[in-house]
Amino acid sequence: MTEALYCIGCGAQLQSTDPQGAGYIPAAALAKQQASGNETYYCQRCFRLRHYNEIADVAIDDDEFTRLLNSLGQKKALIVNVVDLFDFDGSVIPGLHRFVGKNPVILVGNKADLLPHSVRRARVTDWLKRQAAVQGLHPIATLLTSAKKNFQLDELLATIEKYRQHGDVYVVGTTNVGKSTLINAIIKSTVGNQDVITTSQFPGTTLDQIQIPLADGHDLIDTPGIINGTQIAHLLAKDELHYISPQNELKPKIFQLTPPQTLFLGGLARLDFVSGQRASLAVYVENNLLVHRTKTATAAEFYDKHAGELLTPPADISKMPAFKRHTFATKEAQDLVIAGLGWIKLSPASHFDLYLPAGVGFSLRNPIV
Ligand code: GDP
């Protein structure tokens, strides 16, 4: 682009390089519009909002996000924080409790449809509350939803109505938690499928916020997401994401292991069962991700030979940071949660070595199943 062009919907400067960023328009769409002689340009996000009544998430950088969060504390509003139940650690907003000030927070654990049916929802809600408390966040209500399967959305709306006290509602979350899907589902359930939502009905739509009018003159405001750098998704190409992003209920893969044995999760993680009683380990990851068992003694050699081929994703191992080793022991049965990849239910009184690409986070929790 030679001269700067701007989206007439949100005012963002148009660009064709960063699909996640503000003002993105695919180069081909821009060229077509320019060739047509019509000089009204919409960025992809405003285009989708205008033509499909669909909002899309836009990511902003850390500084902008901090500014946005700071501004929340200065308003009187209800905050709805959406997190991903499948990747809680990767979807936490650090320090959110400080930013929101005295404003009440509703915590929404989305993607509940991924949890095995055998898991009691009350147990997950309790776990979510405890995790939030560790972050210093004390939500006024905690709900599990599935934006995709329309689960508990009416309850969420009722809870929002209950606590917003005729005020505005800000929906915040990191990218990929399902915030857009959730808000689109809310729009559909409140106004139906009629073609009534266009940018003209979102007068407050600006560079980084979409306002959805509520009945009493207040708004539900969708804020842009921040990219959480610890998410393993950033190590993969777009066409590899289906290996790690579950779409349906997780089915555990059970392995009977006698130490020293090793499990590979594709080429992304290696878990060595160093010592302990023979045990069965249950792996909860996207059903298409290959989990491969081998002897620890030859695991390193096996990885060198097969990473990027049998052990995939990633297909291009050279772009992945080198493995970093983490050593830990369990007293009780525990879930090992690998940020964005899933979890493994581990046996008690055992020692493990975990290898992850440097920068990828993990944690231990009481078993969820
Ligand atoms: P955003 O970046 O937070 O706005 O996230 P999106 O709404 O774009 O969703 C990110 C991904 O999660 C997409 O692949 C969605 O299909 C998926 N997703 C969103 N909500 C759910 C849900 O409730 N369950 C499941 N299984 N997937 C979901």
Side-chain angles (χ1 to χ4, degrees):
M1 266 175 246
T2 42
E3 64 171 313
L5 298 171
Y6 297 88
C7 168
I8 68 162
C10 64
Q13 184 170 347
L14 295 173
Q15 49 89 15
S16 299
T17 47
D18 175 13
Q20 294 260 30
Y24 176 72
I25 178 169
L30 178 66
K32 199 170 147 197
Q33 188 72 0
Q34 283 175 319
S36 77
N38 178 346
E39 292 191 350
T40 52
Y41 300 100
Y42 284 102
C43 70
Q44 191 173 57
R45 185 160 153 267
C46 287
F47 184 86
R48 281 169 61 183
L49 181 64
R50 202 175 139 81
H51 291 277
Y52 305 119
N53 297 336
E54 208 182 81
I55 64 151
D57 208 7
V58 59
I60 50 177
D61 68 23
D62 288 15
D63 289 348
E64 275 180 90
F65 196 66
T66 305
R67 234 174 286 137
L68 172 88
L69 289 174
N70 265 322
S71 73
L72 291 184
Q74 287 148 24
K75 301 184 168 89
K76 191 171 170 306
L78 174 65
I79 312 296
V80 176
N81 178 207
V82 186
V83 295
D84 182 347
L85 286 175
F86 182 67
D87 184 14
F88 178 83
D89 293 332
S91 59
V92 158
I93 299 174
L96 181 64
H97 66 289
R98 282 195 302 276
F99 289 114
V100 298
K102 290 201 171 70
N103 286 325
V105 175
I106 296 177
L107 181 62
V108 178
N110 189 39
K111 306 196 188 179
D113 54 295
L114 296 179
L115 300 175
H117 282 307
S118 56
V119 180
R120 279 187 27 243
R121 306 288 129 158
R123 188 171 171 161
V124 181
T125 310
D126 285 347
W127 168 78
L128 195 54
K129 282 185 198 158
R130 277 198 306 275
Q131 297 301 307
V134 172
Q135 301 289 329
L137 197 63
H138 299 283
I140 197 163
T142 303
L143 280 93
L144 308 185
T145 61
S146 167
K148 211 164 154 181
K149 304 267 158 87
N150 260 319
F151 174 69
Q152 290 279 88
L153 296 187
D154 291 343
E155 286 74 5
L156 173 60
L157 280 172
T159 310
I160 289 175
E161 276 310 312
K162 179 171 171 194
Y163 290 113
R164 77 181 176 88
Q165 296 180 330
H166 300 293
D168 291 336
V169 183
Y170 282 80
V171 186
V172 299
T174 60
T175 54
N176 213 37
V177 297
K179 193 160 62 64
S180 309
T181 311
L182 188 75
I183 292 178
N184 285 322
I186 288 177
I187 293 174
K188 281 215 173 81
S189 88
T190 49
V191 300
N193 278 325
Q194 317 142 33
D195 192 24
V196 293
I197 302 167
T198 64
T199 37
S200 62
Q201 276 165 297
F202 294 94
T205 299
T206 62
L207 176 59
D208 57 7
Q209 297 185 354
I210 292 183
Q211 303 190 349
I212 298 156
L214 300 169
D216 57 1
H218 286 278
D219 296 301
L220 183 135
I221 297 133
D222 175 41
T223 64
I226 188 181
I227 295 176
N228 185 320
T230 67
Q231 288 171 348
I232 209 160
H234 301 306
L235 303 179
L236 298 182
K238 219 171 176 176
D239 62 355
E240 294 178 319
L241 289 178
H242 67 277
Y243 285 114
I244 62 159
S245 313
Q247 296 300 321
N248 296 304
E249 182 190 339
L250 298 169
K251 303 264 184 271
K253 295 186 171 90
I254 313 284
F255 292 87
Q256 291 290 335
L257 293 186
T258 309
Q261 278 189 313
T262 291
L263 291 180
F264 282 107
L265 309 186
L268 291 168
R270 164 181 164 183
L271 180 70
D272 293 357
F273 186 9
V274 179
S275 66
Q277 295 279 334
R278 176 180 164 78
S280 68
L281 270 55
V283 183
Y284 293 83
V285 293
E286 153 57 41
N287 301 331
N288 288 316
L289 182 67
L290 174 85
V291 183
H292 185 85
R293 176 202 350 221
T294 187
K295 288 187 196 127
T296 300
T298 52
E301 196 184 318
F302 188 85
Y303 188 81
D304 287 344
K305 196 159 163 204
H306 296 292
E309 290 164 20
L310 172 69
L311 300 179
T312 184
D316 185 357
I317 210 82
S318 68
K319 296 214 174 92
M320 194 175 84
F323 270 159
K324 185 164 182 264
R325 187 175 73 160
H326 312 270
T327 294
F328 62 91
T330 55
K331 282 198 192 118
E332 317 287 335
Q334 278 186 307
D335 284 346
L336 162 68
V337 187
I338 302 174
L341 203 53
W343 71 90
I344 305 176
K345 186 173 178 185
L346 302 176
S347 49
S350 306
H351 283 82
F352 296 92
D353 282 344
L354 172 68
Y355 296 77
L356 293 175
V360 173
F362 74 98
S363 59
L364 292 166
R365 71 176 177 206
N366 289 331
I368 208 163
V369 181

